[in-house]
Amino acid sequence: MWQDTILIVFISVFTALLGEGLTWLSVYRTDKYQKLKAEVERQSKRLEKIKETHGDSADKAQKKKIEREEEKLKNNNRDLSFVSRSHHNVKKEYILGAVCT
């Protein structure tokens, strides 16, 4: 009985690690994901720098610029999330389905 339990736990852990490894290979190493991630980081730094420079004393034009940068950052974050979720789910399901059956 203990052998069956250990076997089930081992298979579960192996399958989870395999799935995460395949996700890393199929999603996080892609050029599209890497470019979006770099763009989000770059925009975050740019927005932070603008906010530090102008702070609360920003005039109307600067506030508008900050809003535009925040909107761009929000859109890129959404795109990054979409890329990682959609590729992650689809590829992982296909690969795990093929491996486990």
Side-chain angles (χ1 to χ4, degrees):
M1 177 157 155
W2 284 104
Q3 292 174 342
D4 293 337
T5 304
I6 292 172
L7 179 63
I8 290 169
V9 169
F10 176 75
I11 291 171
S12 299
V13 169
F14 176 75
T15 305
L17 291 175
L18 178 66
E20 290 304 315
L22 292 173
T23 298
W24 180 75
L25 284 173
S26 65
V27 175
Y28 300 115
R29 288 188 47 195
T30 61
D31 288 336
K32 186 174 184 178
Y33 181 84
Q34 293 296 328
K35 286 178 185 176
L36 279 171
K37 183 178 174 189
E39 182 68 22
V40 166
E41 289 174 359
R42 189 171 55 84
Q43 284 181 334
S44 294
K45 287 178 184 176
R46 182 186 310 150
L47 183 61
E48 186 177 314
K49 187 176 179 181
I50 291 171
K51 284 184 177 181
E52 284 178 2
T53 304
H54 299 289
D56 294 334
S57 63
D59 61 350
K60 192 173 183 179
Q62 291 297 329
K63 287 182 181 181
K64 193 72 168 175
K65 184 176 181 179
I66 290 172
E67 287 176 14
R68 280 194 311 268
E69 290 294 324
E70 286 175 341
E71 189 65 29
K72 286 180 189 177
L73 182 60
K74 186 170 72 170
N75 288 337
N76 279 338
N77 273 327
R78 186 192 66 227
D79 292 345
L80 185 64
S81 175
F82 177 74
V83 166
S84 65
R85 258 187 290 144
S86 65
H87 282 98
H88 171 72
N89 290 339
V90 171
K91 290 180 180 180
K92 185 175 175 181
E93 287 177 16
Y94 282 128
I95 292 170
L96 283 179
V99 169
C100 294
T101 54

